[in-house]
Amino acid sequence: MHEREERAHFHMADVRHKRVTARRAVAVGELSAGASAFAQIVERRLPKGDAITMAEIAGLQGAKNASQLMPLCHPLPLEYINLRCEPIDERHAIRVYCEVATFARTGVEMEALAGVSAALLTLYDLTKPVEPALSYGGVRLLFKEGGKKGLWMHPEGMSEAERDHYKPRAMAKLDTITAAVITLSDRASRGDYTDTAGPLLVERLRELGAVVDDAELRPDDPEPLAARLLQLSSVGMRLILCTGGTGLGPRDRTPEALEMIADRHIDGIGELFRSESSQHTTMAWLSRASAVLVGTTLIIALPGSAKAVAQGMDILAPILAHALSMAEGGGHG
């Protein structure tokens, strides 16, 4: 009995602690119709009516009802659905695309796949009176965007026409950008515990393509920190990320160090961090995370925990490249 219960176990994924982000997915599939039926589909003269228009309507309904078809699929308020049926003359096939987008804590790939599947089934249903030897398949995700992983593309790739039409958006990289990471902690600098936040920042920056040495470790002392930040800026360091010293404790003085040397404040970065982090914990509103420019060097102060650093990089990574470009005189687009 116990083994049967174990085999029957299932659960819906808990996404309560994920951030709401822009999500998009595009799926594709094909109906193979044969020459005669293909001509009737394209010319819209099937006995049951216009199969392409009806398939696009069915695809919309399929995407919207994905959670009713799959018990563990989260119901989502979809903000955009687009169905497209494209005739492929050389294969006598109808290629169906479904694009779905929303802002949510989980992705919309199942909705896109459900939309394609419903459209293909409808094409099949309306075409079978003239050609029972139909087949459909190749249903797969082309790509999905959003969440902390950003852009994912199917290993089979996309055609140039598909790329041009859907324009999948990868996160802008920090290739060749020089960066530094500084951890501020009295206890870690004394060796009371091992710093994990700094090395995590280094790892995440390297994943984005930045050139960065191992993290520096310093006590919570604003004057020496300010001097070090000025030194790094003077040698052309483009990006400096500090972790620690942004709380309300008596020794949390990292924002004050940034204040000493700032040419310009970037209030929006701290506001963005607090607003987005509050989806994880209301304690985020107590953070004094901040950002300044010293010349063209962007300096950002993040909290000291590895968890907050990971969340902070998820939030900030999509805007870092553009922020650095603007600091050096690039456009706002």
Side-chain angles (χ1 to χ4, degrees):
M1 184 67 178
H2 177 71
E3 289 183 2
R4 290 180 60 190
E5 289 176 353
E6 284 296 315
R7 288 199 300 270
H9 178 70
F10 59 86
H11 67 278
M12 179 179 279
D14 186 353
V15 299
R16 290 174 297 173
H17 302 296
K18 290 186 175 182
R19 290 190 304 120
V20 174
T21 64
R23 309 274 184 162
R24 184 168 69 126
V26 177
V28 66
E30 281 192 14
L31 175 86
S32 297
S36 176
F38 175 77
Q40 293 181 69
I41 294 171
V42 173
E43 294 166 12
R44 311 200 184 226
R45 53 183 176 85
L46 288 170
K48 287 187 176 183
D50 184 348
I52 287 179
T53 298
M54 190 58 66
E56 290 174 348
I57 294 171
L60 289 167
Q61 288 297 98
K64 289 192 289 186
N65 288 292
S67 64
Q68 296 181 38
L69 299 171
M70 293 162 279
L72 302 184
C73 182
H74 292 83
L76 298 176
L78 304 181
E79 299 186 3
Y80 179 77
I81 308 171
N82 181 263
L83 265 291
R84 189 164 63 96
C85 294
E86 181 178 304
I88 309 297
D89 295 340
E90 60 270 23
R91 294 199 297 274
H92 300 131
I94 306 297
R95 192 164 174 84
V96 176
Y97 296 91
C98 181
E99 178 183 9
V100 181
T102 194
F103 285 83
R105 287 184 167 86
T106 188
V108 288
E109 54 266 39
M110 297 312 299
E111 287 73 11
L113 291 163
V116 166
S117 300
L120 289 171
L121 283 169
T122 300
L123 284 170
Y124 192 112
D125 179 48
L126 299 188
T127 308
K128 65 179 172 31
V130 302
E131 177 54 85
L134 300 166
S135 65
Y136 69 87
V139 177
R140 64 181 176 91
L141 205 61
L142 277 182
F143 68 89
K144 61 178 180 176
E145 298 169 346
K148 65 181 182 181
K149 295 182 180 178
L151 175 66
W152 178 90
M153 299 182 67
H154 196 282
E156 292 182 18
M158 302 170 61
S159 69
E160 286 302 314
E162 289 168 340
R163 285 180 178 273
D164 289 344
H165 186 89
Y166 291 109
K167 297 179 174 58
R169 295 180 291 270
M171 188 180 300
K173 294 291 188 177
L174 300 178
D175 294 338
T176 74
I177 296 295
T178 55
V181 172
I182 301 176
T183 297
L184 286 311
S185 170
D186 289 335
R187 292 189 301 125
S189 64
R190 290 196 304 263
D192 294 347
Y193 73 92
T194 301
D195 170 42
T196 57
L200 178 58
L201 271 181
V202 170
E203 178 185 341
R204 294 294 298 270
L205 285 170
R206 287 173 178 166
E207 288 174 358
L208 290 172
V211 179
V212 54
D213 292 330
D214 292 340
E216 298 182 20
L217 186 57
R218 292 176 166 270
D220 288 302
D221 198 336
E223 286 81 8
L225 173 59
R228 179 57 176 155
L229 294 173
L230 284 176
Q231 181 186 26
L232 290 170
S233 177
S234 69
V235 298
M237 195 66 66
R238 298 282 308 285
L239 173 66
I240 306 171
L241 298 183
C242 299
T243 171
T246 62
L248 303 183
R251 293 281 292 168
D252 290 331
R253 308 290 288 175
T254 301
E256 283 68 29
L258 271 60
E259 179 72 31
M260 293 177 192
I261 60 173
D263 292 324
R264 288 181 288 171
H265 293 269
I266 312 172
D267 296 334
I269 288 181
E271 293 164 5
L272 174 67
F273 175 82
R274 281 180 285 277
S275 176
E276 293 293 305
S277 297
S278 69
Q279 296 185 41
H280 299 293
T281 172
T282 56
M283 298 304 170
W285 296 110
L286 300 179
S287 169
R288 297 193 302 135
S290 58
V292 301
L293 281 173
V294 177
T296 59
T297 301
L298 174 61
I299 305 173
I300 302 175
L302 294 172
S305 75
K307 183 177 180 180
V309 159
Q311 293 169 355
M313 283 302 293
D314 291 341
I315 295 164
L316 298 177
I319 67 170
L320 286 177
H322 189 60
L324 291 167
S325 175
M326 290 179 63
E328 289 208 327
H332 294 261

